[in-house]
Amino acid sequence: MTIAAVSLHWTPWDPTAIDIPAKFQPPSTAHWFGTDQFGRDVLAMIMRGAVTSIAVSIFAVGLGAGVGVPLGLLAAQQRGFADQAIMRASDFVFAFPALLIAIMLREVFGPGATNAVVAIGIFNIPVFARVAYGAALPLWTRDFVLAARVAGKGLVRITVEHILPNMVSLVIVQATIQLSLGILAEAALSYVGLGVQPPAPSWGRMLNEAQTLMGLAPRLALIPGFAIIVTVLGLNLLGDGLRDIFDPRLARER
């Protein structure tokens, strides 16, 4: 994320500048990671591609959490028909992976970053709905909730003032995990041409463009692949660390 923040203000070269005479240059002091088949600086593309992947993932997770958490809270709050309807709708959405949703959106609106955000976000909605539902349901039987009901507080007020604050840590941990999955999903969508479109750099599209050049310049595939691995691994470790902080029992069990 630090590299993404830096790339918003500085990159060693313009990541979209094409310089055909400088194509396939090996790593050097001028181009630390070399250049690609169009003479673009690979390091600059990796830095700016980090912005693309992280931004799409953050907006998609925000969309999923923004819709899924309220739905999960509503299901736990109302129970009965609302409970069953929301959970069965979540099961239905789970049947459509982000790639399939992106294909459907492309046929209607065309490819692009916005459609990638919507596709990944829609897939995240049932994830957050189930997390919120599973966390909120046992809280409704706790003494402090019963005391709030005796005091005359309504269901919505109890949900906002008592249920949500006691489960927000789980949502944060899940959001961190979904961020890593969102980066993988964005890379996959860009790889098949459904994500961010040229000339904006994208790790997934860099992999797509490098697949036919493995024999000539394998670094063009290895570098973006390594960037994806490191970022996803780092976010997963962050999620594990947050889980240990919010629930020390898990750390002791390990």
Side-chain angles (χ1 to χ4, degrees), residues 139-166:
L139 292 175
W140 279 99
T141 63
R142 301 287 293 273
D143 291 341
F144 62 85
V145 172
L146 298 177
R149 301 186 72 167
V150 171
K153 292 184 179 181
L155 295 179
V156 175
R157 186 176 175 185
I158 293 174
T159 298
V160 174
E161 294 182 359
H162 300 284
I163 303 298
L164 183 57
N166 281 282

Side-chain angles (χ1 to χ4, degrees), residues 179-200:
L179 277 176
S180 65
L181 297 178
I183 289 175
L184 286 175
E186 188 280 328
L189 292 176
S190 295
Y191 181 84
V192 297
L194 300 177
V196 178
Q197 298 300 297

Side-chain angles (χ1 to χ4, degrees), residues 3-14:
I3 292 177
V6 170
S7 70
L8 292 175
H9 304 283
W10 175 85
T11 53
W13 298 83
D14 183 351

